[in-house]
Amino acid sequence: MTMTSDKDRVVIFDTTLRDGEQSPGATMTHNEKLEIAGLLDDMGVDIIEAGFPIASEGDFNAVSEIAKNATNSRICGLARAKTGDIDRCWEAIRHAEKNRIHTFIGTSPLHRAIPNLTMDEMADVIHKSVTHARNLCDNVQWSPMDATRTEWDYLCRVIEIAIKAGASTINIPDTVGYTAPVESAELIKRLIETVPGADEVIFATHCHNDLGMATANSLAAVAGGARQIECTINGLGERAGNTALEEVVMALKVRNDIMPWSTGIDTRKIMHISRRVAAVSGFAVQFNKAIVGKNAFAHESGIHQDGMLKNAETFEIMRPSDVGLSGTSLPLGKHSGRAALRDKLQQFGFEVGDNQLRDVFVRFKELADRKKEVFDDDIIALMRSGEDAENDHLQIVSMKVVCGTGGPAEATIEMEIDGQDVSATASGDGPVDATFKAIREIHPNTARLQLYQVQAVTEGTDAQATVSVRLEEDGMIATGESANTDTVVASAKAYVNALNRLIIRRGKVGEGADTREISYKDVT
Ligand SMILES: CC(=O)SCCNC(=O)CCNC(=O)[C@H](O)C(C)(C)COP(=O)(O)OP(=O)(O)OC[C@H]1O[C@@H](n2cnc3c(N)ncnc32)[C@H](O)[C@@H]1OP(=O)(O)O
Ligand SMILES: CC(C)C(=O)C(=O)O
Ligand SMILES: [Mg+2]
């Protein structure tokens, strides 16, 4: 068992409901905020920044209710360096068992210019606002907004004032995502070494992702001595977002050998909350997002899939179950190999020998070349459409169909009938009608089309269509089915499959065989 002391523990401060919600378009409803707060509380987040109570009646109500319902987490509200903001914030969070007022002001030259305050005047505002907050709440966090672009001497001076006024957490925001990891670590280290009273408080890091360095900067800050990371689920937040909670938490877990600090997060809850935040904020997670992206535990290429099937550690540094996923995904695509295909077929109950695997693999690659992603249903359709093809009396060799607004559709079909090539051209009312007519010219028959049904097996415009055709002739019924990314090709093959079944049926009737319905799928 490893013992963790306070200095090894990193406090996770989640601001999905405050900074995350500041993303344009990410506004959440009252109930959605309560739901997300409940999930954050349940997953072990130490502090939830639930909102900015002065901002609106809705924000105030949400923060108040979250404060009343919290069971484990400390509930924090944001306030400007204004008495009215701080009072309103306290009003909202006071009912929480554990609460915090977070007050801030922009300290860099650019931000001092906005309220047009001199350094001394701002120092006074900081002293008064933190003192006021501390008089209301015994847990106060102070942030010098745009700290990473604030003059060093002034930064030290205002932090000292905030500590003396009673702030117990000093947050160092990289408000515009400007800093780099070496600076981030150095800044925190030097502040702790320099500012009087710094060893009595916790230093926090609050990074934005404008240059894609938020996670690296946060972890560097921890290496420099910070013990609170401010972050959001999925990295939601202003502009390019905030540090992603799931990234820092998993980085500390996976690389604990070089970053020996722990968090209280139950990482198995990560996937669920990520999906809920994506759903309620309307901000979909990018496929290749670390930890929670759709592809974070997916492997398509053959060499990777083969490796994964032999030993998951070959291409995965964490287990999917660590973040709440049921398993790795090995989607099949044009880069996949035989090992993954065989594994997938076995999952569906198809036991194939080496020869059959070779044959299926060729057809699979043809399909994968035409499709972005080959889904499970595509594989099943592929297996079914390949069954018994070799013994068929009628086989399509090639086909060309012309259709559009300029006139009737025209189909030219070339078929092999018992080893002989025959072709025909026919026009019709649409591409499928023309195709079926051309096939009937090549193989005249009186079969009546009882059913023609098209179904998209998978999603997208490149989806495979499964076409089912049912023919009736002299009381005999035969069905055919085929899947293809080209609906007209699938239609032609399904029609020909049904005709082949009728031919078999005719032969069997001639031999006095049974007259039950025979379908393509029955003939194996
Ligand atoms: C980096 C960050 O994430 S900071 C947090 C940003 N989040 C938000 O702004 C979301 C919530 N904000 C709001 O709903 C509104 O901006 C409110 C209610 C806070 C204020 O609304 P308004 O009174 O209409 O002011 P407005 O938004 O136009 O401008 C901000 C005002 O706050 C002042 N201000 C900004 N930060 C601070 C601060 N930390 N302390 C004191 N005053 C501040 C500005 O100087 C400006 O003052 P002015 O009106 O006297 O010029
Ligand atoms: C309010 C502060 C902490 C902030 O969000 C920032 O500076 O980015
Ligand atoms: Mg921020």
Side-chain angles (χ1 to χ4, degrees):
M1 192 173 125
T2 40
M3 297 295 288
T4 317
S5 74
D6 268 2
K7 70 178 182 34
D8 300 327
R9 174 76 154 73
V10 173
V11 169
I12 295 295
F13 176 109
D14 181 278
T15 182
T16 306
L17 299 173
R18 200 278 298 170
D19 215 330
E21 210 209 13
Q22 284 175 208
S23 299
T27 308
M28 300 170 219
T29 66
H30 182 83
N31 286 343
E32 287 166 348
K33 285 185 181 178
L34 293 191
E35 181 200 343
I36 300 302
L39 296 173
L40 291 167
D41 192 354
D42 183 52
M43 81 189 295
V45 163
D46 300 286
I47 302 159
I48 298 172
E49 188 165 53
F52 196 158
I54 196 82
S56 70
E57 207 47 34
D59 235 31
F60 176 85
N61 292 336
V63 177
S64 309
E65 205 162 331
I66 290 168
K68 285 175 197 151
N69 291 340
T71 51
N72 304 308
S73 308
R74 183 177 292 280
I75 304 304
C76 171
L78 185 65
R80 288 174 297 177
K82 283 174 171 280
T83 308
D85 275 38
I86 295 168
D87 290 345
R88 191 75 173 144
C89 178
W90 173 241
E91 198 52 42
I93 60 168
R94 61 189 296 194
H95 298 294
E97 219 174 294
K98 292 183 279 179
N99 42 33
R100 169 177 293 185
I101 294 175
H102 176 193
T103 183
F104 75 102
I105 195 160
T107 51
S108 65
L110 283 166
H111 284 274
R112 289 199 305 269
I114 290 184
N116 199 18
L117 294 176
T118 65
M119 284 182 167
D120 288 346
E121 285 166 345
M122 183 167 281
D124 191 45
V125 169
I126 294 165
H127 170 73
K128 287 192 172 123
S129 55
V130 177
T131 305
H132 182 60
R134 188 65 181 79
N135 286 339
L136 297 171
C137 181
D138 61 7
N139 193 310
V140 172
Q141 167 169 328
W142 181 71
S143 295
M145 182 171 74
D146 208 16
T148 52
R149 294 192 300 172
T150 300
E151 304 91 326
W152 167 253
D153 289 342
Y154 190 59
L155 187 61
C156 292
R157 178 180 165 197
V158 288
I159 290 174
E160 186 181 349
I161 290 171
I163 294 173
K164 283 199 175 128
S168 51
T169 299
I170 300 295
N171 178 35
I172 303 299
D174 183 29
T175 306
V176 289
Y178 179 72
T179 205
V182 280
E183 292 173 315
S184 181
E186 189 60 17
L187 177 61
I188 301 285
K189 184 168 169 284
R190 281 181 66 209
L191 285 172
I192 294 172
E193 284 165 2
T194 312
V195 178
D199 51 350
E200 299 295 318
V201 299
I202 287 192
F203 272 77
T205 177
H206 176 112
C207 298
H208 280 269
N209 208 27
D210 299 67
L211 291 173
M213 295 194 285
T215 295
N217 284 334
S218 301
L219 295 169
V222 173
R227 285 296 175 271
Q228 174 177 304
I229 297 180
E230 306 208 355
C231 47
T232 60
I233 301 293
N234 298 342
L236 195 66
E238 286 273 1
R239 305 180 309 280
N242 288 61
T243 301
L245 178 148
E246 62 277 6
E247 292 177 13
V248 284
V249 167
M250 289 311 292
L252 289 175
K253 187 177 168 97
V254 174
R255 292 313 312 274
N256 201 254
D257 53 339
I258 56 157
M259 295 185 284
W261 306 287
S262 66
T263 73
I265 300 294
D266 179 350
T267 63
R268 292 165 307 171
K269 309 260 166 91
I270 283 177
M271 237 17 248
H272 178 60
I273 191 165
S274 162
R275 286 175 181 153
R276 290 306 301 145
V277 168
V280 303
S281 65
F283 275 53
V285 175
Q286 75 193 52
F287 284 5
N288 57 340
K289 164 85 181 61
I291 318 295
V292 291
K294 180 174 179 265
N295 290 351
F297 293 90
H299 312 265
E300 192 211 281
S301 46
I303 294 165
H304 292 219
Q305 291 180 327
D306 182 47
M308 286 298 296
L309 290 166
K310 288 172 177 150
N311 180 350
E313 282 179 31
T314 49
F315 291 100
E316 273 180 3
I317 55 166
M318 41 198 155
R319 285 184 306 244
S321 58
D322 289 344
V323 298
L325 279 172
S326 55
T328 290
S329 127
L330 300 179
L332 293 176
K334 66 181 287 188
H335 304 109
S336 302
R338 268 173 279 263
L341 180 62
R342 187 196 288 274
D343 181 69
K344 187 66 90 182
L345 292 174
Q346 278 168 349
Q347 284 173 31
F348 300 143
F350 295 109
E351 285 300 337
V352 289
D354 287 348
N355 288 343
Q356 199 185 355
L357 180 67
R358 205 173 309 126
D359 170 55
V360 178
F361 188 65
V362 170
R363 287 188 288 121
F364 158 72
K365 281 279 178 175
E366 277 169 12
L367 177 66
D369 267 338
R370 279 181 278 131
K371 274 194 104 250
K372 258 199 167 93
E373 194 178 340
V374 180
F375 295 97
D376 290 356
D377 284 345
D378 287 324
I379 298 293
I380 294 170
L382 192 77
M383 286 299 287
R384 286 181 179 159
S385 64
E387 289 166 358
D388 205 38
E390 280 165 24
N391 303 323
D392 284 344
H393 175 68
L394 309 170
Q395 294 198 20
I396 293 177
V397 177
S398 69
M399 60 184 284
K400 192 169 186 117
V401 180
V402 180
C403 63
T405 52
E410 191 177 88
T412 302
I413 312 275
E414 187 187 346
M415 292 178 68
E416 192 184 296
I417 304 182
D418 294 337
Q420 297 258 313
D421 275 0
V422 193
S423 67
T425 298
S427 52
D429 190 9
V432 176
D433 187 46
T435 300
F436 285 11
K437 280 182 176 153
I439 294 169
R440 272 202 296 277
E441 269 192 40
I442 293 170
H443 178 75
N445 64 83
T446 54
R448 205 172 54 82
L449 185 65
Q450 273 198 336
L451 173 99
Y452 169 74
Q453 191 172 290
V454 183
Q455 199 189 354
V457 177
T458 44
E459 293 162 23
T461 50
D462 65 346
Q464 280 208 97
T466 292
V467 176
S468 304
V469 165
R470 187 161 70 222
L471 299 176
E472 185 271 333
E473 191 183 49
D474 298 332
M476 285 183 296
I477 291 170
T479 60
E481 192 177 275
S482 182
N484 199 287
T485 48
D486 185 321
T487 309
V488 185
V489 172
S491 303
K493 288 189 171 173
Y495 186 56
V496 169
N497 287 337
L499 286 174
N500 279 319
R501 304 287 77 73
L502 270 182
I503 292 165
I504 296 168
R505 297 279 297 115
R506 282 187 211 122
K508 286 191 176 173
V509 171
E511 293 158 14
D514 71 88
T515 55
R516 71 185 164 89
E517 179 176 339
I518 181 167
S519 82
Y520 182 66
K521 282 182 280 180
D522 289 337
V523 183
T524 49

